[in-house]
Amino acid sequence: MQLQKNISLHQLNTFGVRVNAGYFAKVTSEEEIVDCIENNLFENKKTLVLGGGSNILFTNDFDGVVLKNEIKGIKKVKETDSHVYLEIGAGENWHEMVLNTISHGWQGLENLSLIPGTLGAAPIQNIGAYGVELKDVFVALKAVHLQSGEIKTFGKEDCNFGYRQSIFKNELKGQFLIISVTLQLNKIPQYNVSYGDIQKTMKSHGVHDLSAKNISDAVIAIRSSKLPDPEKIGNCGSFFKNPEIPTVKYEKLKNKFSSIPGYPLLNNQTKVPAGWLIQKCGWKGKVVGNVGTYKNQALVIVNHGNATGQEAKELALKIQESVKEKFGIEIQPEVNII
């Protein structure tokens, strides 16, 4: 591994912010990163692990070491009559891996199609879409501590998964580089099409048979219609998490805003779509300087040109304030703001 100095991250973050890393290196193997740690290559330097750069917003240059995780490989580690277990390198592209599993006839990831990023980022965020979360198929991950070089295995319980949360976004934030993730996939399908517009989209396309491929195609169609392609317009995907509020509060809001959608959760909580709240505050498609919200989905903040991360952050704060003022609900960023 070679440390490069003062490297541009413009092409390595999907929002397209023009910032630099003080130091930059690509990680391609477990042995490589361990050797660098043992030789104190990162000593006295803060570090940031970068995957696909799709869920991160840089507001300044990063005065430290940016490690681009490019550890690849997909290995079948176990198989039973009902399941297959895959250990996947953290640098593998998430969507390409999903399509790979579908082509092999393995089921469980189809609802998570077209989510940008890499395998290593998936457990940090506990990515989820259309009624499925990573934790539903997660078995374990292997990671290296960036200070000691210790290799540690984390099981599902160790990760403290929550809604777009894990121990790696909280207590252990920035302390580990994930090497690989092991997933359990189904050989006997257990489809989930109850959430969102999956069934409606399949029907509109003349598709009536349930299969991982057909569900994946529907999810891809839905996401493509709502979310901008970062190759064409810079964005970090969904900028905010859907808030979870007490059901009692939701019922009071429904008396005032009859069309407010809500999805019942456990413990008398209800999830409310943040995109709906933001749209009702008049933000959908609005442009403020070099940034704005996407014309088809208010949940996404986009770069209309040469936007800075600070501009996006300031817009996000204004959106948060207006949602709180109108609905009394605090929405929190899903994006990692650096």
Side-chain angles (χ1 to χ4, degrees):
M1 181 193 293
Q2 180 182 4
L3 274 185
Q4 300 173 279
K5 290 185 178 181
N6 197 33
I7 298 298
S8 172
L9 300 176
H10 178 229
Q11 298 297 324
L12 298 177
N13 71 97
T14 59
F15 196 79
V17 176
R18 297 180 183 276
V19 293
N20 292 338
Y23 298 88
F24 178 84
K26 294 180 179 179
V27 180
T28 59
S29 71
E30 173 184 327
E31 295 75 20
E32 189 175 48
I33 185 68
V34 171
D35 181 66
C36 290
I37 294 170
E38 290 178 345
N39 285 285
N40 300 317
L41 196 62
F42 314 135
E43 191 173 28
N44 299 322
K45 298 182 181 73
K46 60 181 180 180
T47 56
L48 174 70
V49 179
L50 192 64
S54 59
N55 194 54
I56 192 168
L57 178 69
F58 289 99
T59 57
N60 291 290
D61 290 339
F62 188 78
D63 185 23
V65 182
V66 172
L67 299 172
K68 181 76 166 62
N69 193 334
E70 296 190 353
I71 301 174
K72 301 293 181 68
I74 301 177
K75 180 172 64 175
K76 186 192 297 183
V77 293
K78 181 182 175 182
E79 185 169 5
T80 67
D81 291 341
S82 56
H83 296 99
V84 62
Y85 297 79
L86 303 178
E87 183 179 6
I88 307 159
E92 291 283 351
N93 177 277
W94 176 266
H95 179 60
E96 290 177 5
M97 185 275 305
V98 171
L99 297 182
N100 180 298
T101 63
I102 292 172
S103 71
H104 281 84
W106 301 324
Q107 182 269 327
L109 300 178
E110 58 277 2
N111 294 50
L112 305 179
S113 297
L114 210 62
I115 293 179
T118 59
L119 263 292
I124 295 174
Q125 187 76 359
N126 184 27
I127 61 171
Y130 302 103
V132 176
E133 292 182 321
L134 178 83
K135 68 178 178 61
D136 300 328
V137 295
F138 180 88
V139 176
L141 66 80
K142 186 163 65 169
V144 57
H145 193 272
L146 289 169
Q147 293 300 316
S148 68
E150 176 192 5
I151 303 292
K152 184 172 179 179
T153 297
F154 291 82
K156 184 183 291 189
E157 295 300 320
D158 301 320
C159 293
N160 292 348
F161 287 129
Y163 173 55
R164 302 298 176 269
Q165 289 287 341
S166 75
I167 195 171
F168 303 103
K169 285 188 74 174
N170 296 293
E171 302 98 304
L172 299 183
K173 184 175 182 178
Q175 295 184 35
F176 283 86
L177 180 144
I178 295 174
I179 296 167
S180 66
V181 181
T182 300
L183 305 179
Q184 173 188 285
L185 303 181
N186 300 320
K187 295 168 68 175
I188 303 171
Q190 300 175 28
Y191 301 123
N192 184 339
V193 293
S194 61
Y195 195 95
D197 295 329
I198 294 178
Q199 294 184 71
K200 187 196 305 184
T201 301
M202 290 176 64
K203 186 176 180 180
S204 70
H205 290 176
V207 177
H208 303 285
D209 297 330
L210 283 182
S211 71
K213 175 66 164 58
N214 288 342
I215 294 171
S216 174
D217 288 345
V219 169
I220 290 170
I222 295 168
R223 292 182 68 89
S224 297
S225 69
K226 291 183 177 181
L227 304 175
D229 182 349
E231 294 292 330
K232 298 177 181 177
I233 182 168
N235 71 92
C236 306
S238 298
F239 202 95
F240 298 99
K241 296 187 285 187
N242 293 321
E244 299 176 354
I245 64 174
T247 300
V248 172
K249 181 174 182 177
Y250 170 74
E251 294 297 339
K252 289 181 179 179
L253 283 170
K254 197 163 181 62
N255 289 332
K256 187 175 181 180
F257 306 97
S258 59
S259 63
I260 184 171
Y263 302 93
L265 303 171
L266 299 175
N267 302 320
N268 297 313
Q269 295 284 108
T270 297
K271 182 183 292 186
V272 180
W276 187 91
L277 298 172
I278 296 167
Q279 181 175 337
K280 290 302 178 181
C281 289
W283 287 104
K284 186 177 180 180
K286 192 168 184 177
V287 178
V288 181
N290 293 311
V291 294
T293 57
Y294 188 49
K295 61 181 181 179
N296 294 337
Q297 175 52 270
L299 195 57
V300 181
I301 293 178
V302 296
N303 181 348
H304 284 297
N306 295 311
T308 65
Q310 189 61 38
E311 285 180 283
K313 181 181 177 180
E314 289 172 2
L315 175 60
L317 288 172
K318 291 177 182 177
I319 291 172
Q320 287 174 294
E321 289 169 2
S322 64
V323 169
K324 185 175 181 181
E325 181 179 353
K326 187 177 183 71
F327 297 102
I329 296 176
E330 294 188 11
I331 56 173
Q332 300 299 327
E334 180 175 324
V335 170
N336 185 19
I337 300 174
I338 302 295

